[in-house]
Amino acid sequence: ALDRGLAVVRANYERSRSTTPEQVDERMALITGSTDKASFGDCDIVIEAVFEDMDLKKTIFRELDEICKPGAVLASNTSALDINEIASATNRPESVIGMHFFSPANVMKLLEVVRGDASSDTVVATAMAVGKQVKKIAVLVGVCHGFVGNRMLFQRRLEADQLVLEGATPAQVDRVLYDFGFPMGPFAMSDLAGLDIGWKAENSTSDSIRDLMNESGRKGQKNGRGYYTYDPDTRAATPDPEVEQMIEDFATRKGHEQRDVTDQEVLERCLYSMVNEGAKILEEGIAIRGSDVDVVWVNGYGWPVYRGGPMYWADSIGLAEIVERVRHYGKAVGGRQWELSPLLARLADEDGKLHQYSN
């Protein structure tokens, strides 16, 4: 596994047009691999990147606490888990911090630096400086499930899944968001990542679209069948009528009435729910300023640069308009995601700006 990992690092360097063969050899010579965790003992900073399993991460951090020297920064690459709980497994919570690199980490620019309740100022400053040193765009955020980026993404996915139960197709949702400026929509993204990531057949209950997709052997691009079918040579995606029928039958069994869903509703429900969540994130102090939320989404999630990020975009639409539609969907759809952010409502009343808001 270690040899395979180092081979991937070398292959990434070799694929880079900006790296000469001599530079590849030079950089690889600076990397030392080990299968002995005691090798971490002299490290100034350790970044854990195991699976998103809290028990596993706490086990790793207990081991790091025993191995690493005093003053070493102990960082987790978790994308959603509680940094405070991870830190509780150590006797030095002040040294623990989140450093959420975005995948693929050798390409994506964003780094969410997640400050725990006990993270020291020195550790925070170090994590931010390391991010800059490795040419990432580091944004300091607080602890909550999903931090800034994924917490907002969860709301978009929640609405996308609900929309297809009400009559939209995966292709329609993806097309609306692609036309808005995203590189791909949520269902195409799921196919790319793999529908079977984190799914286990023995735990499947046929109680979600994801269960049905996996139970029918659809894993996404990796086997050419997901929400779309994929050409084996070109990877070109084609909407799958079988999937659309499967979703419609599932929705009917669950009591969802099918109807025509407009593109405008798709856009509003996917994006206004994100804006509302972003305002809650600001209100809770998870993000320091509105422009930080925009930096996260532009650099980590493919938000179209020319629209300026979700907070800036909401200001350009008009916060009063956003508030009116959030209240509308709160009545029509319901759910926590449509509970209006008091900050959003206040800024709309005061003619304030989300992207200029600062804690």
Side-chain angles (χ1 to χ4, degrees):
L2 176 61
D3 290 342
R4 186 168 65 248
L6 289 171
V8 170
V9 175
R10 175 176 282 277
N12 285 338
Y13 278 134
E14 290 174 341
R15 277 198 298 269
S16 173
R17 295 178 182 177
S18 62
T19 310
T20 66
E22 292 76 19
Q23 288 174 322
V24 173
D25 291 338
E26 180 183 287
R27 293 180 187 187
M28 291 305 298
L30 295 171
I31 301 173
T32 302
S34 176
T35 56
D36 182 0
K37 292 175 185 173
S39 301
F40 299 145
D42 291 331
C43 292
D44 294 316
I45 180 168
V46 177
I47 305 174
E48 160 277 312
V50 300
F51 298 115
E52 288 290 272
D53 180 285
M54 179 58 83
D55 290 338
L56 176 58
K57 288 186 183 289
K58 289 171 78 171
T59 298
I60 295 292
F61 273 77
R62 285 190 199 99
E63 294 175 345
L64 292 176
D65 192 30
E66 294 292 325
I67 295 166
C68 294
K69 65 186 180 182
V73 176
L74 309 183
S76 175
N77 184 48
T78 180
S79 60
L81 299 180
D82 188 338
I83 293 296
N84 294 324
E85 185 174 349
I86 293 172
S88 72
T90 75
N91 291 310
R92 47 170 122 178
E94 72 282 354
S95 296
V96 178
I97 197 164
M99 292 182 72
H100 176 209
F101 290 84
F102 280 66
S103 182
N106 61 305
V107 175
M108 298 298 287
K109 288 293 188 183
L110 182 65
L111 169 63
E112 280 184 318
V113 174
V114 188
R115 181 174 197 158
D117 291 345
S119 301
S120 73
D121 291 347
T122 300
V123 167
V124 171
T126 301
M128 296 293 285
V130 168
K132 181 176 288 188
Q133 189 171 4
V134 296
K135 296 181 171 60
K136 300 301 181 187
I137 297 171
V139 177
L140 185 62
V141 302
V143 176
C144 66
H145 185 64
F147 315 131
V148 171
N150 280 338
R151 177 170 162 181
M152 292 170 68
L153 185 67
F154 295 152
Q155 304 310 319
R156 190 182 81 174
R157 187 58 200 241
L158 193 66
E159 285 304 305
D161 287 343
Q162 184 62 31
L163 282 161
V164 297
L165 292 177
E166 294 176 20
T169 65
Q172 180 190 6
V173 174
D174 282 351
R175 174 181 53 76
V176 169
L177 292 176
Y178 179 82
D179 289 346
F180 179 79
F182 283 100
M184 64 181 68
F187 298 103
M189 185 186 298
S190 292
D191 276 358
L192 179 63
L195 299 179
D196 58 335
I197 298 295
W199 179 83
K200 294 182 179 179
E202 60 269 23
N203 297 332
S204 189
T205 60
S206 305
D207 202 41
S208 69
I209 295 173
R210 184 190 182 199
D211 280 350
L212 296 179
M213 297 287 283
N214 278 290
E215 289 167 5
S216 65
R218 291 172 168 83
K219 297 182 179 180
Q221 286 197 27
K222 66 177 69 177
N223 73 343
R225 299 170 68 232
Y227 288 101
Y228 303 87
T229 56
Y230 294 88
D231 184 282
D233 297 320
T234 66
R235 293 281 183 139
T238 303
D240 190 341
E242 287 185 22
V243 170
E244 293 175 5
Q245 189 61 54
M246 184 190 306
I247 293 172
E248 184 177 336
D249 292 344
F250 175 79
T252 300
R253 290 198 302 275
K254 291 292 184 179
H256 295 282
E257 185 177 341
Q258 299 291 286
R259 60 184 176 84
D260 289 332
V261 178
T262 67
D263 289 355
Q264 182 64 23
E265 182 177 349
V266 171
L267 187 72
E268 290 180 356
R269 286 177 60 178
C270 286
L271 300 189
Y272 289 5
S273 58
M274 284 175 48
V275 169
N276 192 46
E277 197 69 23
K280 293 176 183 177
I281 286 169
L282 282 172
E283 196 166 12
E284 295 167 20
I286 301 299
I288 296 173
R289 56 187 70 84
S291 56
D292 283 1
V293 177
D294 290 339
V295 169
V296 166
W297 268 83
V298 167
N299 292 284
Y301 293 87
W303 184 280
V305 176
Y306 60 90
R307 296 193 188 272
M311 303 291 95
Y312 183 91
W313 174 73
D315 290 332
S316 72
I317 295 294
L319 297 187
E321 165 72 10
I322 303 284
V323 165
E324 188 277 321
R325 298 310 289 164
V326 168
R327 284 177 170 146
H328 165 76
Y329 290 119
K331 295 176 182 176
V333 179
R336 181 198 162 278
Q337 69 274 27
W338 295 114
E339 293 173 3
L340 180 62
S341 158
L343 174 64
L344 181 58
R346 177 166 64 80
L347 289 177
D349 288 341
E350 297 173 354
D351 199 26
K353 302 292 184 184
L354 269 175
H355 81 281
Q356 294 176 341
Y357 182 82
S358 180
N359 284 300

